[in-house]
Coordinates of all heavy atoms in Angstrom, one line a residue:
L1 N 0.8 -1.2 0.0 CA -0.1 0.0 0.0 C 0.9 1.2 0.0 O 0.7 2.1 -0.8 CB -0.9 -0.1 1.2 CG -1.9 1.1 1.4 CD1 -2.9 1.0 0.3 CD2 -2.5 1.0 2.7
L2 N 1.8 1.3 0.9 CA 2.7 2.5 1.0 C 3.6 2.5 -0.3 O 3.8 3.6 -0.8 CB 3.7 2.3 2.1 CG 4.5 3.5 2.5 CD1 3.6 4.7 2.7 CD2 5.4 3.3 3.7
W3 N 4.0 1.4 -0.8 CA 4.8 1.3 -2.1 C 4.0 1.9 -3.2 O 4.5 2.7 -4.1 CB 5.2 -0.1 -2.4 CG 6.0 -0.4 -3.5 CD1 7.3 0.0 -3.6 CD2 5.6 -1.0 -4.7 NE1 7.7 -0.3 -4.9 CE2 6.8 -0.9 -5.6 CE3 4.5 -1.5 -5.2 CZ2 6.7 -1.5 -6.9 CZ3 4.4 -2.1 -6.5 CH2 5.6 -2.0 -7.3
L4 N 2.7 1.6 -3.4 CA 1.8 2.1 -4.5 C 1.7 3.6 -4.3 O 1.6 4.3 -5.3 CB 0.5 1.4 -4.4 CG 0.5 0.0 -4.8 CD1 -0.9 -0.6 -4.7 CD2 1.0 -0.2 -6.3
C5 N 1.6 4.1 -3.0 CA 1.5 5.6 -2.8 C 2.8 6.2 -3.3 O 2.7 7.3 -3.8 CB 1.2 5.9 -1.4 SG -0.5 5.3 -0.9
V6 N 3.9 5.7 -3.0 CA 5.2 6.3 -3.4 C 5.2 6.3 -4.8 O 5.8 7.3 -5.5 CB 6.3 5.4 -2.8 CG1 7.7 5.9 -3.3 CG2 6.4 5.7 -1.2
L7 N 4.8 5.2 -5.5 CA 4.9 5.2 -7.1 C 4.0 6.2 -7.7 O 4.3 6.7 -8.7 CB 4.5 3.7 -7.5 CG 5.5 2.6 -7.4 CD1 4.9 1.4 -7.9 CD2 6.8 3.0 -8.2
A8 N 2.8 6.6 -7.1 CA 2.0 7.5 -7.6 C 2.3 9.0 -7.2 O 1.8 9.9 -7.9 CB 0.6 7.2 -7.1
L9 N 3.3 9.2 -6.4 CA 3.6 10.6 -5.9 C 4.0 11.5 -7.1 O 3.6 12.6 -7.1 CB 4.7 10.6 -4.8 CG 4.1 10.3 -3.5 CD1 5.3 10.3 -2.5 CD2 3.1 11.3 -3.1
P10 N 4.7 11.0 -8.2 CA 5.1 12.0 -9.2 C 3.8 12.4 -10.0 O 3.9 13.5 -10.6 CB 6.0 11.1 -10.1 CG 6.5 10.0 -9.2 CD 5.5 9.8 -8.2
Q11 N 2.8 11.7 -9.9 CA 1.6 12.0 -10.7 C 0.7 13.0 -9.8 O -0.3 13.5 -10.4 CB 0.7 10.8 -11.0 CG 1.5 9.8 -11.8 CD 1.8 10.3 -13.1 OE1 1.1 11.1 -13.7 NE2 3.0 9.9 -13.8
V12 N 0.9 13.2 -8.6 CA 0.0 14.0 -7.7 C 0.3 15.5 -8.0 O 1.4 16.0 -8.0 CB 0.3 13.7 -6.2 CG1 -0.4 14.6 -5.3 CG2 0.0 12.2 -5.9
K13 N -0.9 16.2 -8.1 CA -0.8 17.6 -8.2 C -1.6 18.1 -7.0 O -2.8 17.8 -6.8 CB -1.5 18.1 -9.4 CG -0.7 17.8 -10.7 CD -1.4 18.5 -11.9 CE -0.6 18.1 -13.1 NZ -1.1 18.5 -14.4
V14 N -1.0 18.8 -6.1 CA -1.5 19.2 -4.8 C -2.8 20.1 -5.0 O -3.7 20.0 -4.2 CB -0.5 19.9 -3.8 CG1 -1.1 20.3 -2.6 CG2 0.7 18.9 -3.7
S15 N -2.8 20.9 -6.0 CA -3.9 21.7 -6.2 C -5.3 21.0 -6.4 O -6.3 21.5 -6.1 CB -3.7 22.6 -7.5 OG -3.5 21.8 -8.6
R16 N -5.2 19.7 -6.9 CA -6.4 18.9 -7.1 C -7.0 18.5 -5.7 O -8.3 18.3 -5.6 CB -6.1 17.6 -7.8 CG -5.8 17.8 -9.2 CD -5.4 16.5 -9.9 NE -4.9 16.8 -11.3 CZ -4.1 15.9 -11.9 NH1 -3.7 14.9 -11.3 NH2 -3.7 16.2 -13.1
L17 N -6.2 18.5 -4.7 CA -6.8 18.2 -3.4 C -7.7 19.2 -2.8 O -8.5 18.9 -1.9 CB -5.6 17.9 -2.4 CG -4.8 16.7 -2.7 CD1 -3.5 16.6 -1.8 CD2 -5.5 15.4 -2.6
F18 N -7.4 20.5 -3.2 CA -8.1 21.6 -2.6 C -9.2 22.2 -3.6 O -9.6 23.3 -3.5 CB -7.2 22.8 -2.2 CG -6.2 22.2 -1.2 CD1 -4.9 22.0 -1.5 CD2 -6.7 22.0 0.1 CE1 -4.0 21.5 -0.6 CE2 -5.7 21.5 1.1 CZ -4.5 21.2 0.7
M19 N -9.4 21.4 -4.7 CA -10.5 22.0 -5.7 C -11.8 22.0 -5.0 O -12.3 20.9 -4.4 CB -10.5 21.1 -6.9 CG -9.3 21.3 -7.8 SD -9.2 20.5 -9.3 CE -10.7 19.6 -9.5
G20 N -12.5 23.0 -5.1 CA -14.0 23.1 -4.6 C -14.9 23.0 -5.8 O -14.6 23.0 -6.9
L21 N -16.2 23.1 -5.4 CA -17.2 23.1 -6.4 C -17.3 24.5 -7.0 O -17.2 25.5 -6.3 CB -18.5 22.7 -5.8 CG -18.6 21.2 -5.3 CD1 -20.0 21.0 -4.6 CD2 -18.5 20.3 -6.5
N22 N -17.7 24.6 -8.3 CA -18.0 25.8 -8.8 C -19.4 26.3 -8.3 O -20.1 25.6 -7.8 CB -18.0 25.8 -10.4 CG -16.6 25.3 -10.9 OD1 -15.6 25.7 -10.4 ND2 -16.6 24.7 -12.1
E23 N -19.7 27.6 -8.6 CA -21.0 28.0 -8.2 C -22.1 27.4 -8.9 O -23.2 27.2 -8.5 CB -21.1 29.5 -8.4 CG -20.3 30.3 -7.4 CD -20.4 31.8 -7.5 OE1 -21.4 32.2 -8.1 OE2 -19.6 32.5 -7.0
T24 N -21.8 26.9 -10.2 CA -22.8 26.3 -11.0 C -23.0 24.8 -10.6 O -24.1 24.2 -10.8 CB -22.5 26.3 -12.5 OG1 -21.3 25.6 -12.7 CG2 -22.5 27.7 -13.0
D25 N -22.0 24.2 -10.0 CA -22.1 22.8 -9.5 C -22.7 22.8 -8.1 O -22.3 23.5 -7.3 CB -20.7 22.1 -9.6 CG -20.2 22.0 -11.0 OD1 -21.0 22.0 -11.9 OD2 -19.0 22.0 -11.1
R26 N -23.6 21.9 -7.8 CA -24.1 21.7 -6.6 C -24.0 20.3 -6.1 O -24.4 19.4 -6.8 CB -25.6 22.1 -6.5 CG -25.9 23.6 -6.8 CD -25.5 24.4 -5.6 NE -25.7 25.8 -5.9 CZ -25.1 26.8 -5.4 NH1 -24.1 26.6 -4.6 NH2 -25.3 28.0 -5.7
W27 N -23.4 20.1 -5.0 CA -23.3 18.8 -4.3 C -24.7 18.4 -3.7 O -25.2 19.2 -3.0 CB -22.2 18.7 -3.4 CG -21.9 17.3 -2.9 CD1 -21.1 16.4 -3.6 CD2 -22.4 16.6 -1.8 NE1 -21.0 15.2 -2.9 CE2 -21.9 15.3 -1.8 CE3 -23.3 17.0 -0.8 CZ2 -22.2 14.4 -0.9 CZ3 -23.6 16.0 0.1 CH2 -23.1 14.7 0.1
S28 N -25.2 17.2 -4.0 CA -26.4 16.7 -3.4 C -26.3 15.3 -2.9 O -25.4 14.6 -3.3 CB -27.5 16.9 -4.4 OG -27.4 16.0 -5.4
W29 N -27.2 14.9 -2.1 CA -27.3 13.6 -1.5 C -27.8 12.6 -2.5 O -27.8 11.4 -2.3 CB -28.1 13.6 -0.2 CG -27.4 14.3 0.9 CD1 -27.7 15.6 1.3 CD2 -26.4 13.8 1.7 NE1 -26.9 15.8 2.4 CE2 -26.1 14.8 2.6 CE3 -25.7 12.6 1.8 CZ2 -25.1 14.7 3.6 CZ3 -24.7 12.5 2.7 CH2 -24.3 13.5 3.6
E30 N -28.4 13.1 -3.7 CA -29.0 12.3 -4.6 C -28.1 11.3 -5.3 O -28.5 10.2 -5.7 CB -29.8 13.1 -5.6 CG -30.9 14.0 -5.0 CD -31.5 14.9 -6.1 OE1 -31.2 14.8 -7.3 OE2 -32.3 15.8 -5.7
G31 N -26.9 11.6 -5.5 CA -25.9 10.8 -6.2 C -25.2 9.7 -5.3 O -24.4 9.0 -5.9
V32 N -25.5 9.8 -4.0 CA -24.8 8.9 -3.2 C -25.5 7.5 -3.3 O -26.7 7.3 -3.2 CB -24.8 9.4 -1.7 CG1 -24.3 8.3 -0.8 CG2 -24.2 10.6 -1.6
K33 N -24.7 6.4 -3.5 CA -25.2 5.1 -3.5 C -25.0 4.6 -2.0 O -23.9 4.2 -1.6 CB -24.3 4.2 -4.5 CG -24.6 4.7 -5.9 CD -23.8 3.8 -6.9 CE -23.9 4.3 -8.3 NZ -23.1 3.5 -9.2
W34 N -26.1 4.6 -1.3 CA -26.1 4.3 0.1 C -25.7 2.9 0.4 O -25.0 2.6 1.4 CB -27.4 4.7 0.8 CG -27.6 6.1 0.8 CD1 -28.3 7.0 0.0 CD2 -26.9 7.1 1.7 NE1 -28.1 8.4 0.3 CE2 -27.2 8.4 1.4 CE3 -26.0 6.9 2.7 CZ2 -26.8 9.5 2.1 CZ3 -25.5 8.0 3.4 CH2 -25.9 9.3 3.1
A35 N -26.2 1.9 -0.3 CA -26.1 0.6 0.1 C -24.5 0.1 0.0 O -24.0 -0.4 0.9 CB -26.9 -0.4 -0.8
P36 N -23.9 0.5 -1.1 CA -22.4 0.1 -1.2 C -21.6 0.9 -0.2 O -20.7 0.5 0.4 CB -22.0 0.5 -2.6 CG -23.2 0.5 -3.4 CD -24.3 0.9 -2.4
L37 N -22.1 2.2 0.1 CA -21.3 3.0 1.1 C -21.4 2.5 2.4 O -20.4 2.2 3.1 CB -21.8 4.4 1.0 CG -21.2 5.4 2.1 CD1 -19.8 5.6 1.9 CD2 -22.0 6.6 2.2
L38 N -22.6 2.1 2.9 CA -22.8 1.6 4.2 C -22.2 0.3 4.3 O -21.5 -0.1 5.4 CB -24.3 1.6 4.6 CG -24.9 3.0 4.8 CD1 -26.4 2.9 5.0 CD2 -24.2 3.7 5.9
N39 N -22.3 -0.6 3.3 CA -21.7 -1.9 3.3 C -20.1 -1.8 3.5 O -19.6 -2.5 4.2 CB -22.1 -2.7 2.1 CG -21.6 -4.2 2.2 OD1 -21.6 -4.7 3.2 ND2 -21.4 -4.8 1.0
N40 N -19.5 -1.0 2.8 CA -18.1 -0.7 2.8 C -17.7 -0.3 4.2 O -16.7 -0.7 4.7 CB -17.6 0.2 1.7 CG -16.2 0.3 1.5 OD1 -15.5 -0.6 2.0 ND2 -15.7 1.3 0.8
L41 N -18.4 0.8 4.7 CA -18.0 1.3 6.0 C -18.2 0.1 7.1 O -17.4 0.1 7.9 CB -19.0 2.4 6.4 CG -18.7 3.8 5.6 CD1 -19.8 4.8 6.0 CD2 -17.3 4.2 6.0
F42 N -19.2 -0.7 7.0 CA -19.5 -1.7 8.0 C -18.3 -2.7 8.0 O -17.7 -3.0 9.0 CB -20.8 -2.4 7.7 CG -21.0 -3.7 8.5 CD1 -21.3 -3.6 9.9 CD2 -20.7 -5.0 8.0 CE1 -21.5 -4.6 10.6 CE2 -20.9 -6.1 8.8 CZ -21.3 -5.9 10.1
W43 N -17.9 -3.2 6.8 CA -16.9 -4.2 6.7 C -15.5 -3.6 7.1 O -14.7 -4.3 7.6 CB -16.9 -4.9 5.4 CG -18.0 -5.8 5.2 CD1 -19.1 -5.6 4.4 CD2 -18.1 -7.1 5.9 NE1 -19.9 -6.7 4.6 CE2 -19.4 -7.6 5.5 CE3 -17.3 -7.8 6.7 CZ2 -19.8 -8.8 5.9 CZ3 -17.7 -9.0 7.2 CH2 -19.0 -9.5 6.7
N44 N -15.2 -2.5 6.7 CA -13.9 -1.8 7.0 C -13.8 -1.5 8.5 O -12.6 -1.4 8.9 CB -13.7 -0.5 6.1 CG -13.5 -0.9 4.7 OD1 -13.0 -2.1 4.4 ND2 -13.8 0.0 3.8
L45 N -14.9 -1.1 9.1 CA -14.7 -0.6 10.5 C -15.2 -1.7 11.5 O -15.3 -1.5 12.7 CB -15.5 0.6 10.7 CG -15.1 1.8 9.8 CD1 -16.0 3.0 10.0 CD2 -13.6 2.2 10.1
N46 N -15.5 -2.9 11.0 CA -16.0 -4.0 11.8 C -14.9 -4.5 12.8 O -15.3 -5.1 13.8 CB -16.5 -5.1 11.0 CG -17.5 -6.0 11.7 OD1 -18.0 -5.7 12.8 ND2 -17.7 -7.2 11.2
S47 N -13.7 -4.3 12.5 CA -12.6 -4.9 13.4 C -12.6 -4.3 14.8 O -12.1 -4.9 15.7 CB -11.3 -4.8 12.7 OG -11.0 -3.5 12.5
F48 N -13.1 -3.1 14.9 CA -13.0 -2.4 16.2 C -14.0 -3.1 17.2 O -14.0 -2.9 18.4 CB -13.4 -1.0 16.1 CG -12.2 -0.2 15.6 CD1 -12.1 0.3 14.4 CD2 -11.2 0.1 16.5 CE1 -11.1 1.0 13.9 CE2 -10.1 0.9 16.1 CZ -10.1 1.3 14.8
D49 N -14.9 -3.9 16.7 CA -15.8 -4.7 17.6 C -15.1 -5.7 18.4 O -15.5 -6.2 19.5 CB -16.9 -5.4 16.8 CG -17.9 -4.3 16.3 OD1 -18.0 -3.3 16.7 OD2 -18.7 -4.7 15.3
N50 N -14.0 -6.2 17.9 CA -13.1 -7.2 18.5 C -12.3 -6.7 19.6 O -11.5 -7.5 20.3 CB -12.3 -7.9 17.5 CG -13.1 -8.7 16.6 OD1 -14.2 -9.3 16.9 ND2 -12.7 -8.8 15.3
A51 N -12.2 -5.4 19.8 CA -11.4 -4.8 20.9 C -11.8 -5.3 22.2 O -10.9 -5.5 23.1 CB -11.5 -3.3 20.8
S52 N -13.0 -5.5 22.5 CA -13.4 -6.0 23.8 C -12.9 -7.5 24.0 O -12.6 -7.8 25.1 CB -14.9 -6.0 23.9 OG -15.5 -6.9 22.9
N53 N -12.8 -8.2 23.0 CA -12.2 -9.6 23.1 C -10.8 -9.6 23.5 O -10.3 -10.4 24.3 CB -12.4 -10.4 21.8 CG -13.8 -10.6 21.4 OD1 -14.6 -10.6 22.2 ND2 -14.0 -10.6 20.2
F54 N -10.0 -8.6 22.9 CA -8.6 -8.6 23.3 C -8.4 -7.8 24.6 O -7.4 -8.0 25.3 CB -7.8 -7.8 22.2 CG -7.8 -8.5 20.9 CD1 -8.5 -8.1 19.8 CD2 -7.0 -9.7 20.8 CE1 -8.3 -8.8 18.6 CE2 -7.0 -10.5 19.7 CZ -7.6 -10.0 18.5
A55 N -9.3 -7.0 25.1 CA -9.2 -6.4 26.4 C -9.1 -7.3 27.5 O -8.4 -7.0 28.5 CB -10.4 -5.4 26.6
A56 N -9.7 -8.4 27.4 CA -9.6 -9.5 28.4 C -8.3 -10.1 28.5 O -7.9 -10.6 29.6 CB -10.7 -10.5 28.2
D57 N -7.5 -10.1 27.5 CA -6.2 -10.7 27.4 C -5.1 -9.8 28.1 O -4.0 -10.3 28.3 CB -5.7 -11.1 26.1 CG -6.6 -12.2 25.5 OD1 -7.2 -12.9 26.3 OD2 -6.6 -12.2 24.2
V58 N -5.4 -8.6 28.4 CA -4.5 -7.6 28.9 C -4.6 -7.7 30.5 O -5.6 -7.9 31.0 CB -4.8 -6.2 28.6 CG1 -3.8 -5.2 29.1 CG2 -4.7 -6.1 27.0
D59 N -3.4 -7.7 31.0 CA -3.3 -7.8 32.5 C -4.1 -6.7 33.2 O -4.2 -5.6 32.7 CB -1.9 -7.8 33.0 CG -1.1 -9.0 32.7 OD1 -1.7 -10.0 32.5 OD2 0.2 -8.9 32.6
Q60 N -4.7 -7.0 34.3 CA -5.5 -6.0 35.0 C -4.7 -4.8 35.4 O -5.2 -3.7 35.3 CB -6.1 -6.7 36.2 CG -7.3 -5.8 36.8 CD -8.5 -5.6 36.0 OE1 -8.7 -6.5 35.1 NE2 -9.1 -4.5 36.3
E61 N -3.5 -4.9 35.9 CA -2.7 -3.8 36.2 C -2.3 -2.9 35.2 O -2.2 -1.6 35.3 CB -1.4 -4.2 36.9 CG -1.5 -5.2 38.1 CD -1.5 -6.7 37.6 OE1 -0.8 -7.1 36.7 OE2 -2.4 -7.4 38.1
R62 N -2.1 -3.4 34.0 CA -1.6 -2.6 32.8 C -2.8 -2.2 31.9 O -2.5 -1.6 30.9 CB -0.6 -3.4 32.1 CG 0.6 -3.7 33.0 CD 1.7 -4.4 32.2 NE 2.2 -3.5 31.1 CZ 2.9 -3.9 30.1 NH1 3.1 -5.2 30.0 NH2 3.2 -3.1 29.1
R63 N -4.0 -2.7 32.2 CA -5.1 -2.4 31.3 C -5.4 -0.9 31.0 O -5.7 -0.4 30.0 CB -6.4 -3.0 31.8 CG -7.5 -2.9 30.8 CD -8.7 -3.7 31.2 NE -8.3 -5.1 31.1 CZ -9.1 -6.1 31.5 NH1 -10.1 -5.8 32.2 NH2 -8.7 -7.4 31.4
G64 N -5.1 -0.1 32.1 CA -5.4 1.3 32.0 C -4.3 2.0 31.1 O -4.5 3.2 30.7
I65 N -3.2 1.4 30.9 CA -2.0 2.0 30.1 C -2.1 1.4 28.7 O -2.0 2.1 27.7 CB -0.8 1.8 30.9 CG1 -0.8 2.4 32.2 CG2 0.4 2.3 30.0 CD1 0.4 2.0 33.0
V66 N -2.1 0.0 28.6 CA -1.8 -0.6 27.3 C -3.0 -0.5 26.4 O -2.9 -0.2 25.2 CB -1.4 -2.1 27.6 CG1 -1.3 -2.9 26.2 CG2 -0.1 -2.2 28.4
F67 N -4.3 -0.8 26.9 CA -5.4 -0.8 26.0 C -5.7 0.5 25.4 O -5.9 0.6 24.1 CB -6.6 -1.4 26.8 CG -7.7 -1.7 25.9 CD1 -7.6 -2.8 25.0 CD2 -8.9 -1.0 26.0 CE1 -8.7 -3.1 24.2 CE2 -9.9 -1.3 25.2 CZ -9.8 -2.4 24.3
P68 N -5.8 1.6 26.1 CA -6.1 2.9 25.5 C -5.0 3.3 24.4 O -5.2 3.8 23.3 CB -6.1 3.9 26.6 CG -6.3 3.1 27.8 CD -5.7 1.8 27.5
R69 N -3.8 2.9 24.8 CA -2.6 3.2 23.8 C -2.8 2.4 22.6 O -2.5 2.9 21.5 CB -1.3 2.9 24.5 CG -0.1 3.6 23.9 CD 1.1 3.4 24.6 NE 1.1 4.0 25.9 CZ 2.1 3.8 26.8 NH1 3.0 3.1 26.6 NH2 2.0 4.5 27.9
A70 N -3.1 1.2 22.7 CA -3.3 0.3 21.6 C -4.5 0.8 20.7 O -4.5 0.7 19.5 CB -3.6 -1.2 22.0
M71 N -5.5 1.2 21.4 CA -6.7 1.7 20.6 C -6.4 3.0 19.9 O -6.7 3.1 18.7 CB -7.9 1.9 21.5 CG -8.5 0.7 22.1 SD -9.2 -0.3 20.8 CE -10.6 0.6 20.2
I72 N -5.7 3.9 20.4 CA -5.2 5.1 19.7 C -4.3 4.7 18.5 O -4.5 5.3 17.4 CB -4.5 6.1 20.7 CG1 -5.6 6.6 21.7 CG2 -3.9 7.3 20.0 CD1 -5.0 7.4 22.8
L73 N -3.4 3.9 18.8 CA -2.5 3.4 17.7 C -3.2 2.7 16.6 O -3.0 3.0 15.4 CB -1.4 2.5 18.3 CG -0.2 2.1 17.4 CD1 0.5 3.4 16.9 CD2 0.7 1.1 18.0
G74 N -4.2 1.9 16.9 CA -5.0 1.3 15.9 C -5.8 2.2 15.1 O -5.9 2.1 13.9
F75 N -6.4 3.3 15.8 CA -7.1 4.3 15.0 C -6.3 5.1 14.1 O -6.6 5.3 13.0 CB -7.7 5.2 16.1 CG -8.5 6.4 15.4 CD1 -9.7 6.2 14.8 CD2 -7.9 7.6 15.3 CE1 -10.4 7.3 14.3 CE2 -8.5 8.7 14.7 CZ -9.7 8.5 14.1
C76 N -5.0 5.3 14.6 CA -4.0 6.1 13.7 C -3.7 5.2 12.5 O -3.6 5.7 11.3 CB -2.8 6.5 14.4 SG -3.1 7.7 15.7
F77 N -3.5 3.9 12.6 CA -3.2 3.1 11.5 C -4.3 3.1 10.5 O -4.2 3.1 9.3 CB -2.9 1.7 11.9 CG -1.5 1.5 12.4 CD1 -1.2 0.7 13.6 CD2 -0.4 2.1 11.9 CE1 0.1 0.5 14.1 CE2 0.9 2.0 12.3 CZ 1.1 1.1 13.4
V78 N -5.5 2.9 11.0 CA -6.7 2.9 10.2 C -6.9 4.3 9.5 O -7.2 4.3 8.2 CB -8.0 2.5 11.0 CG1 -9.2 2.8 10.1 CG2 -7.9 1.1 11.4
Y79 N -6.8 5.3 10.2 CA -6.9 6.6 9.6 C -5.9 6.9 8.4 O -6.3 7.3 7.3 CB -6.7 7.7 10.6 CG -6.8 9.1 10.1 CD1 -8.0 9.7 9.7 CD2 -5.7 9.8 9.9 CE1 -8.1 11.0 9.2 CE2 -5.7 11.1 9.3 CZ -7.0 11.7 9.0 OH -7.0 12.9 8.5
F80 N -4.7 6.6 8.7 CA -3.6 6.9 7.7 C -3.7 5.8 6.5 O -3.4 6.1 5.4 CB -2.2 6.9 8.3 CG -2.0 8.2 9.0 CD1 -1.8 8.2 10.4 CD2 -2.0 9.4 8.4 CE1 -1.6 9.3 11.2 CE2 -1.9 10.6 9.1 CZ -1.6 10.5 10.5
G81 N -4.2 4.6 6.9 CA -4.3 3.6 5.9 C -5.4 3.9 4.9 O -5.4 3.4 3.8
Y82 N -6.4 4.6 5.3 CA -7.5 5.1 4.4 C -7.1 6.5 3.8 O -7.4 6.7 2.6 CB -8.8 5.2 5.1 CG -9.5 3.9 5.2 CD1 -9.5 3.2 6.5 CD2 -10.1 3.2 4.2 CE1 -10.1 1.9 6.7 CE2 -10.6 2.0 4.3 CZ -10.7 1.4 5.5 OH -11.2 0.1 5.7
S83 N -6.7 7.4 4.6 CA -6.6 8.8 4.1 C -5.3 9.0 3.1 O -5.5 9.7 2.1 CB -6.5 9.7 5.2 OG -5.3 9.5 6.0
L84 N -4.3 8.3 3.3 CA -3.1 8.4 2.4 C -3.3 7.9 1.0 O -3.2 8.7 0.1 CB -1.9 7.8 3.1 CG -0.6 7.9 2.3 CD1 -0.1 9.3 2.2 CD2 0.5 7.0 2.9
P85 N -3.9 6.7 0.9 CA -4.1 6.3 -0.5 C -5.3 7.2 -1.2 O -5.3 7.4 -2.4 CB -4.6 4.8 -0.4 CG -4.1 4.4 0.9 CD -4.0 5.6 1.8
L86 N -6.3 7.6 -0.3 CA -7.3 8.4 -0.9 C -6.8 9.8 -1.4 O -7.1 10.1 -2.5 CB -8.4 8.6 0.1 CG -9.6 9.4 -0.3 CD1 -10.4 8.7 -1.4 CD2 -10.5 9.7 0.9
M87 N -5.9 10.3 -0.6 CA -5.4 11.7 -1.1 C -4.5 11.5 -2.3 O -4.6 12.4 -3.1 CB -4.6 12.3 0.1 CG -5.4 12.8 1.2 SD -4.3 13.5 2.4 CE -5.4 14.7 3.2
V88 N -3.7 10.4 -2.3 CA -2.9 10.2 -3.5 C -3.8 9.9 -4.7 O -3.4 10.4 -5.9 CB -1.9 9.0 -3.2 CG1 -1.2 8.5 -4.5 CG2 -0.9 9.4 -2.2
A89 N -4.8 9.1 -4.5 CA -5.7 8.8 -5.7 C -6.4 10.1 -6.2 O -6.5 10.3 -7.4 CB -6.7 7.8 -5.3
I90 N -6.8 10.9 -5.3 CA -7.5 12.3 -5.7 C -6.5 13.1 -6.4 O -6.8 13.8 -7.4 CB -8.1 12.9 -4.5 CG1 -9.3 12.1 -4.0 CG2 -8.6 14.3 -4.8 CD1 -9.9 12.6 -2.7
G91 N -5.3 13.2 -5.9 CA -4.3 14.1 -6.4 C -3.7 13.7 -7.7 O -3.2 14.4 -8.5
A92 N -3.8 12.3 -8.0 CA -3.1 11.8 -9.2 C -4.1 11.6 -10.3 O -3.7 11.4 -11.5 CB -2.6 10.4 -8.9
T93 N -5.4 11.8 -10.1 CA -6.4 11.7 -11.2 C -6.8 13.0 -11.6 O -7.0 13.9 -10.9 CB -7.6 10.8 -10.7 OG1 -8.1 11.4 -9.5 CG2 -7.3 9.4 -10.5
A94 N -7.1 13.0 -13.0 CA -7.4 14.3 -13.5 C -8.9 14.5 -13.4 O -9.7 13.6 -13.4 CB -7.1 14.3 -15.0

């Protein structure tokens, strides 16, 4: 994933990331395909449900330190794992 992002970097134009809508173009909810969107969100974010299963494996004394740190680190991995390729794809396509 990171390798593909690095390969696409020469094609990225940063100005594409900040393009807004023209006054004639209006964004609306009508074009959203809700079923694929919600299905994709469900399957991609479903792994956080398993956090309670792993919480029982952490020692009671260290649970207040290790588990929140692991959740924050996991959230950061998920965030950058989605946002970095998305930004590269938006910046590399015309």
